Amino acid sequence: MVTDTEITVYHRPATLTDLGTHYCPGCTHGIAHRLVAEVIDEMGLRETTIGVASVGCSVFAYNYFDFDFVQAPHGRAPAMATGIKRVLSDRIVFTYQGDGDLASIGMGEIVAAAGRGENITVIFINNANYGMTGGQMAPTTLPGMKTTSSPNGRDVESQGYPIRTAELLATQEGAGYIVRRSLHDPKNIRLAKKAIRLAFETQVRGLGFSLVELLSSCPTNWGMDPVDALRWIEQNMIPYFPINDFKVHPVIASLRI
Amino acid sequence: MVKELLKGNIAIAEAAVRAGLQAYFGYPITPQTELLEYLSKRMPELGRTFVQAESELGAINMVYGAACTGVRVMSSSSSPGISLMMEGLSYIAGTELPVVLIDVMRGGPGLGNIAPSQQDYNQIVHGGGHGDYYPIVLAPANIQEAIDLTVLAFDLAEKYRSIVIVLLDGSLGQMMEPAELPPMQPLRESYPEWATRGAIGRERRIHTSIYLNPVEQEKTNLRILQRWQEVKKNEVRYKSYFLEDAEYVVIGFGTAGRVALSAVRAARAEGNKVGLLRPVTLAPFPAQQIEALAGSSKGILVVEMNSGQMLDDVMACVKGRTPVHFYGRPGGIVPLPDEVLVEIHRMTEKSGRLNGHPRDQWLERMVQHI
């Protein structure tokens, strides 16, 4: 049926500021930001949410969200989020961290926060390298993957193995919701959004620590065009970092959203 | 209120509670651990926030987060733990947030020992974290002063949106003395206009220490320095003893100043016109007072429980106008009044210029201890 009036079916989330991002073309940070903003909008959390930005490409995440935000030292976002959440227990506190920040320099803080069952949400961007400093090896860099600090490819004999963060944190009793998703195609993006929603639902219900690991592309540092980079996630990252639910609190598992 | 027999660490903890402390984050380290232990019971029973962090890194960043919300927040540690907090302190300074930190110093460097020391003077007073920033540093010499300065620390932190560090040595943390605690203050009910507590009915607020545009960073640096000028103008505190007619002056802070006072009294009993200046604020430093003393005295003796850290600041004020002597016991040793009295005699008997730097001369005399 043809109508005379146009109906907006897709719009910018209210909590995503009207600002062009500084991210490289084809980078999936923009998608992750949008998904977080959509969830905050849908849950009506704009006035009660405080975000914690980390160090890395997403250091300026606070520019793109229209709610209170603070910016943490490298790796310390979970500790800073703890400080906020413990004095404002009725607010929604989340960190937005990359893999260098969370899984390398901040491994102590993230494991401790999960262990304490800190009632915060973590959006964890895994793009297998240090993006902001120009593509160095990260704890998530795949075996054999070339980076600017593993020019011959990551040699697991001397440089060790990639860390599977979600699996590691899911071993913690204090964790309420730990999953991995990917941003490489529309179907997976929809699944990622649902996971982000459930992570925030976990916090709203006070069910403990929640984390969504998002496999993300870094076309610039990977030396690929955006489409190839998305394919590379599917073909190379997912086999090592499987998309899965590693821990889901029964209350969340039974939730129908 | 009546005087009670109180242990330093406990007295500071309870003083902070009564000053309206809303959140404490810490990590065990000797000789400050009783402070954390006390608050682990006291804070929850008052419905206030206490978290034993995974490390001093965790603790100071929890403090950072809580400070963003505008609550009265504190941590405490001792020298090696304070070193770990330097990153967080620099960020807190760069974000211009009020935070109180208690440093109960021990011997070092490295793991050192758990004996009383003043080894953190340079790290605390002259930065330690990266960048140009200026914490207010308060140095008590007895338990009553530790209580009073802890309460003052919260007021100064909020007044100047500044880090305030109460700097004391392990002996003050561990010793018991009669002291009076302040009355319980009500917790704050309103929060500053900068606090990030959720954007309820208002535009968002952001706390960050990154200014990628150097012009903006420079503006921030200059604003912080301007605020520091106000602190220097308003907040210098010191105690003076027998200075009215003093020909010779001893300068020492905290326990070293307290020990020196016994030596000064003994020297007075001998008829020597010696006085004592004990800086209570190490930052802002009582520079004008020391400059004036440099002009009016025949010699100045600096006494510290380190290898001469405040000595450099005293010498910068004296500017060569009077001989400066130094006596220190680093490594966790508290000097005895008799040792300081010997140094006072050395100063009063050997007037005039010294050959070389006072630290070098002191080290020559210390050879017996090596």
Side-chain angles (χ1 to χ4, degrees):
Chain A
M1 190 180 77
V2 180
T3 63
D4 293 340
T5 52
E6 289 182 357
I7 301 163
T8 307
V9 292
Y10 190 76
H11 56 82
R12 198 176 186 84
T15 54
L16 201 61
T17 58
D18 193 13
L19 198 68
T21 73
H22 69 287
Y23 300 115
C24 300
C27 167
T28 46
H29 262 307
I31 295 172
H33 280 26
R34 187 189 165 95
L35 298 183
V36 170
E38 285 181 358
V39 167
I40 299 287
D41 282 3
E42 287 165 16
M43 294 176 71
L45 299 175
R46 186 257 169 198
E47 294 193 322
T48 49
T49 296
I50 302 164
V52 183
S54 61
V55 173
C57 288
S58 60
V59 64
F60 292 119
Y62 55 76
N63 283 329
Y64 310 127
F65 292 104
D66 182 30
F67 41 79
D68 279 5
F69 234 99
V70 302
Q71 198 282 313
H74 202 16
R76 318 293 176 228
M80 216 174 160
T82 299
I84 298 169
K85 185 74 183 185
R86 289 296 183 113
V87 297
L88 294 171
S89 56
D90 60 342
R91 305 300 200 276
I92 299 304
V93 181
F94 79 93
T95 73
Y96 188 104
Q97 302 175 257
D99 42 13
D101 187 271
L102 183 145
S104 188
I105 195 168
M107 195 50 113
E109 285 76 10
I110 197 74
V111 172
R116 283 193 305 268
E118 212 60 63
N119 202 27
I120 59 172
T121 298
V122 175
I123 306 300
F124 171 44
I125 304 296
N126 176 357
N127 63 8
N129 80 119
Y130 282 83
M132 191 203 220
T133 45
Q136 293 76 34
M137 185 180 71
T140 44
T141 295
L142 296 176
M145 184 178 168
K146 285 185 181 178
T147 70
T148 61
S149 59
S150 57
N152 300 319
R154 181 175 190 160
D155 172 11
V156 294
E157 290 300 318
S158 63
Q159 293 163 313
Y161 294 87
I163 291 174
R164 293 186 180 96
T165 302
E167 288 88 333
L168 186 152
L169 293 174
T171 63
Q172 300 299 302
E173 203 63 40
Y177 185 75
I178 307 280
V179 303
R180 183 182 290 116
R181 296 291 184 265
S182 175
L183 299 175
H184 71 276
D185 66 19
K187 176 194 165 203
N188 281 283
I189 289 169
R190 280 197 297 276
L191 292 170
K193 181 182 170 182
K194 190 178 176 199
I196 292 168
R197 172 74 187 255
L198 291 177
F200 279 98
E201 294 285 354
T202 304
Q203 183 177 169
V204 166
R205 285 165 174 72
L207 299 175
F209 180 85
S210 52
L211 176 140
V212 180
E213 177 172 343
L214 296 170
L215 302 181
S216 300
S217 67
C218 186
T220 299
N221 289 316
W222 292 355
M224 297 176 198
D225 72 37
V227 175
D228 286 344
L230 294 174
R231 252 181 233 127
W232 196 86
I233 293 177
E234 188 177 14
Q235 290 167 3
N236 296 281
M237 287 186 77
I238 291 176
Y240 195 94
F241 298 112
I243 295 169
N244 209 344
D245 293 353
F246 298 101
K247 189 163 186 189
V248 179
H249 193 284
V251 171
I252 296 300
S254 63
L255 212 59
R256 293 286 160 261
I257 304 269
Chain B
M1 291 286 168
V2 290
K3 282 195 174 181
E4 303 166 61
L5 191 60
L6 293 165
K7 185 172 188 163
N9 283 333
I10 309 287
I12 290 171
E14 181 59 26
V17 165
R18 297 187 184 198
L21 179 70
Q22 288 162 283
Y24 173 91
F25 306 92
Y27 186 80
I29 182 170
T30 311
Q32 68 80 47
T33 305
E34 297 87 355
L35 213 160
L36 167 127
E37 288 174 333
Y38 180 85
L39 291 175
S40 71
K41 182 167 186 292
R42 185 74 166 128
M43 294 294 275
E45 77 187 13
L46 291 168
R48 306 185 192 178
T49 299
F50 171 92
V51 178
Q52 180 172 322
E54 65 274 19
S55 67
E56 288 88 350
L57 283 175
I60 195 66
N61 284 288
M62 291 175 194
V63 165
Y64 189 12
C68 290
T69 72
V71 297
R72 287 202 153 183
V73 60
M74 180 177 98
S75 186
S76 60
S77 189
S78 176
S79 310
I82 296 288
S83 293
L84 278 171
M85 291 184 174
M86 284 298 149
E87 174 198 54
L89 288 177
S90 174
Y91 278 74
I92 290 165
T95 314
E96 301 168 77
L97 294 169
V99 158
V100 172
L101 176 64
I102 311 294
D103 178 5
V104 188
M105 294 178 281
R106 53 190 256 179
L111 201 49
N113 56 44
I114 56 172
S117 153
Q118 297 180 329
Q119 65 162 334
D120 297 1
Y121 179 93
N122 278 340
Q123 188 180 32
I124 294 297
V125 171
H126 295 302
H130 54 286
D132 295 310
Y133 71 95
Y134 317 91
I136 296 170
V137 184
L138 310 174
N142 55 61
I143 309 297
Q144 187 64 58
E145 209 171 40
I147 291 168
D148 298 343
L149 292 179
T150 299
V151 175
L152 176 69
F154 286 97
D155 294 336
L156 292 180
E158 280 167 16
K159 184 174 177 188
Y160 297 104
R161 284 183 66 168
S162 173
I163 297 164
V164 181
I165 300 168
V166 181
L167 186 70
L168 60 153
D169 66 82
S171 70
L172 280 168
Q174 294 298 318
M175 75 159 75
M176 296 183 85
E177 279 189 303
E180 188 180 326
L181 286 161
M184 184 71 93
Q185 286 184 33
L187 294 186
R188 71 181 317 156
E189 282 171 6
S190 64
Y191 288 89
E193 36 73 40
W194 48 258
T196 46
R197 300 174 61 82
I200 300 170
R202 60 161 170 79
E203 291 193 354
R204 66 181 169 148
R205 292 175 187 155
I206 290 163
H207 279 305
T208 182
S209 70
I210 183 171
Y211 300 93
L212 219 45
N213 179 353
V215 174
E216 292 303 314
Q217 180 66 64
E218 187 185 50
K219 261 188 216 170
T220 306
N221 292 122
L222 296 177
R223 183 172 64 243
I224 291 171
L225 182 56
Q226 225 165 26
R227 196 178 295 147
W228 179 243
Q229 302 297 340
E230 283 298 300
V231 175
K232 284 211 291 190
K233 206 163 65 189
N234 302 334
E235 307 298 345
V236 171
R237 287 170 171 80
Y238 57 91
K239 287 274 166 67
S240 51
Y241 307 86
F242 312 112
L243 282 178
E244 299 75 22
D245 62 342
E247 294 176 352
Y248 294 90
V249 176
V250 181
I251 302 177
F253 70 94
T255 296
R258 184 170 174 175
V259 171
L261 179 57
S262 298
V264 165
R265 286 201 173 109
R268 279 274 165 182
E270 295 168 351
N272 281 319
K273 289 189 173 173
V274 183
L276 172 74
L277 181 85
R278 179 165 66 77
V280 172
T281 52
L282 298 176
F285 197 57
Q288 283 178 3
Q289 288 70 24
I290 293 172
E291 279 179 31
L293 291 170
S296 64
S297 66
K298 293 183 188 170
I300 289 175
L301 168 65
V302 177
V303 180
E304 295 182 75
M305 284 149 59
N306 57 42
S307 301
Q309 298 188 20
M310 184 181 68
L311 172 65
D312 292 328
D313 289 335
V314 171
M315 290 180 76
C317 300
V318 171
K319 300 186 185 82
R321 282 175 296 174
T322 194
V324 176
H325 307 254
F326 175 67
Y327 186 67
R329 294 307 300 265
I333 294 174
V334 182
L336 296 169
D338 285 352
E339 295 174 59
V340 180
L341 185 59
V342 168
E343 297 298 317
I344 291 173
H345 289 157
R346 191 190 309 280
M347 169 167 66
T348 56
E349 285 158 15
K350 206 175 77 178
S351 290
R353 296 281 144 198
L354 292 170
N355 290 324
H357 195 283
R359 188 188 291 109
D360 297 341
Q361 300 221 319
W362 161 74
L363 184 58
E364 280 176 23
R365 301 201 297 281
M366 291 297 282
V367 167
Q368 52 166 325
H369 295 290
I370 298 174

